[in-house]
Amino acid sequence: RLKLGALARADLVLAISEFAARDALDRLSLDPSSVVNVSAGRAAMFRPLAPDDPGVADLRRRLRLDGPFILASGTIDPHKNLDRLFRAVAQVPRDRRGNRPVVLPGRFVGRQKEILARMASDAGLPRDAFRLAGYLSDEDLVRLYNACDLMVLPSLDEGFGLPALEAMACGAPTIGSDAASVPEIIGRRDALFDPRDVSAMGRLIVRGLSDEDFRRSLVASGLERAGS
């Protein structure tokens, strides 16, 4: 409340997305001309790597990622929507998903790990169907984005959605929710799903894994949109 009060007294509010700008106008008594979307960006280090980059092979060994995998971004917070993501992945036919685990980077500790394991179990996923990558340096994140088969951002609420932009800049086929700021990042309707519709999310994951023309178009449009 103190932060909102400070924002309400500001002469100029800089927002990191159109969604954040609209949110500020909805919640605060501000003149629309005093709220400006300046957007955000990714660091130049997020870029495509050579297919035989030794750092990618080393990361795979350290994380025990022997084959293809789905990369996701989120935490146990409800707005990150990981419970529905797990349910959507569980709906993907095995012949389409293969042995691809869902990989989650980030520092998960104590009961957070238990909660994620319960989410996956309740969704019908075996324990080996998701992998916690732990905290990763930016250099390793670049390698992880380059190595993934598909990047999924299922959030119900994002101020900007930086993981999607970073993944696109690295040449990862990227899909996400049609909520909050995510559509601004991804920039194409056919790469978005209703984050509350598990079946719709699952169908787009299937397409993102199996439709090679769609995958190539996601890579191309993602690189162009991210400015790579």
Side-chain angles (χ1 to χ4, degrees), residues 3 14 18 27 32-35 39 48 52-53 55 63 65 88 92 127 133 141 153 163 196 202-204 219:
K3 289 180 179 179
L14 304 180
E18 281 297 330
R27 295 172 185 272
S33 64
S34 70
V35 181
S39 192
D52 59 350
D53 185 278
L63 297 183
L65 293 171
V92 175
R127 179 60 185 86
L141 271 178
L153 187 63
R196 299 183 185 278
R203 288 193 298 271
L204 195 57
V219 171

Side-chain angles (χ1 to χ4, degrees), residues 108-130:
F108 295 96
V109 296
R111 276 190 46 78
Q112 293 177 339
K113 294 181 179 179
E114 297 173 17
I115 291 170
L116 285 171
R118 187 167 65 249
M119 282 183 188
S121 176
D122 290 348
L125 286 176
R127 179 60 185 86
D128 62 356
F130 82 97

Side-chain angles (χ1 to χ4, degrees), residues 3-17:
K3 289 180 179 179
L4 289 174
L7 286 171
R9 294 191 298 273
D11 295 315
L12 180 65
V13 174
L14 304 180
I16 59 173
S17 65

